[in-house]
Amino acid sequence: MKKNQTRALLVGATLLAGVSGMAMSDGKEGILQSWFSQTTPGIDRVTTDLYQEECGSCHLAYQPGLLAAQSWEQIMGSLNDHFGENAELLQDDANTIRNFLLNNAAGRVNYGLPNKFMAAQKGKPYPLRITEMHYFRHEHEELGADQVQNNPEVKSLSQCNRCHQGARQGLYDEHDVIIPGFGRWDD
Ligand code: HEC
Ligand code: HEC
């Protein structure tokens, strides 16, 4: 939510989001147990409503395990100049999201994919972007401009969900990739 909206509305909305968030995650766990169990540990679907709402409108709400804490810290500290956009938030919302990201960042959780990202980054600086992490670059180096930048349905590697059918659920398996206009990835 942007800074210029009224304080009262914000307090109410934040409370509501918190309550409905809790109620929803209770229900979801029961109904979607089997579905959840298929997600990749450490990069599970983000169930935090506030995060989805504030960080999921311009691009996928990236799972926190895809970046190290240092990177998230930098991102949250420069939202007024966020890759050419102003993504500034109210201080309270920014703090909540920052805590969520830092607590679940790669290096702070002990799971497969975040660990692979961290291992591959060893001895190298931590970039602001997931797409500049060494592991990511290695996994995507076979892709050409026709499939990404010049592909009107993709445009940028930052749009994970254009190709990874399960990205929103934290599923990045290479066998579940369909590149728009090119079809299923098969190598
Ligand atoms: C107003 C739109 C907007 C909002 C809101 C927004 N972002 Fe972004 N974000 C962008 C743009 C634009 C990029 C660059 C995408 C590209 O290069 O194709 C980006 C890129 C990123 C990247 C790097 C992706 C990569 O290339 O690896 C991360 C991480 C990120 N945003 C996190 C966040 C977080 C966390 C929030 C919420 C606090 C947020 N974004 C909210 C517009 C936004
Ligand atoms: C243009 C389509 C495209 C986009 C956009 C894309 N990917 Fe991928 N990704 C692929 C392909 C294709 C592979 C398989 C590469 C291979 O097997 O050589 C892959 C592989 C991966 C892998 C390795 C999976 C495995 O099974 O080891 C991860 C993790 C991943 N992508 C994460 C991401 C994330 C996170 C984003 C967004 C920041 C993203 N990808 C954006 C096409 C894409």
Side-chain angles (χ1 to χ4, degrees), residues 150-170:
N150 302 339
N151 187 340
E153 289 177 74
V154 181
K155 290 191 184 139
S156 161
L157 275 177
S158 312
Q159 302 292 343
C160 322
N161 49 307
R162 302 281 159 82
C163 301
H164 290 278
Q165 305 307 300
R168 288 208 165 78
Q169 288 79 50

Side-chain angles (χ1 to χ4, degrees), residues 63-124:
Q63 286 83 6
L66 294 171
L67 273 180
Q70 292 93 315
S71 305
W72 287 126
E73 189 105 64
Q74 264 184 285
I75 284 178
M76 292 309 292
S78 59
L79 288 178
N80 60 336
D81 183 14
H82 180 76
F83 305 97
E85 302 273 346
N86 187 342
E88 226 176 345
L89 297 172
L90 273 172
Q91 200 55 53
D92 282 359
D93 290 347
N95 287 341
T96 306
I97 289 174
R98 183 177 167 278
N99 287 341
F100 163 72
L101 291 170
L102 294 185
N103 287 337
N104 296 287
R108 301 226 169 141
V109 292
N110 185 19
Y111 294 118
L113 189 54
N115 288 353
K116 283 192 203 170
F117 268 89
M118 290 306 276
Q121 205 63 24
K122 217 172 189 160
K124 301 180 187 72

Side-chain angles (χ1 to χ4, degrees), residues 4-24:
N4 55 12
Q5 281 163 293
T6 68
R7 189 74 206 164
L9 180 71
L10 279 164
V11 172
T14 309
L15 280 173
L16 253 174
V19 171
S20 67
M22 280 191 305
M24 271 172 74

Side-chain angles (χ1 to χ4, degrees), residues 30-43:
I31 300 161
L32 298 172
Q33 196 78 56
S34 56
W35 181 57
F36 265 105
S37 64
Q38 291 170 21
T39 63
T40 314
I43 49 160

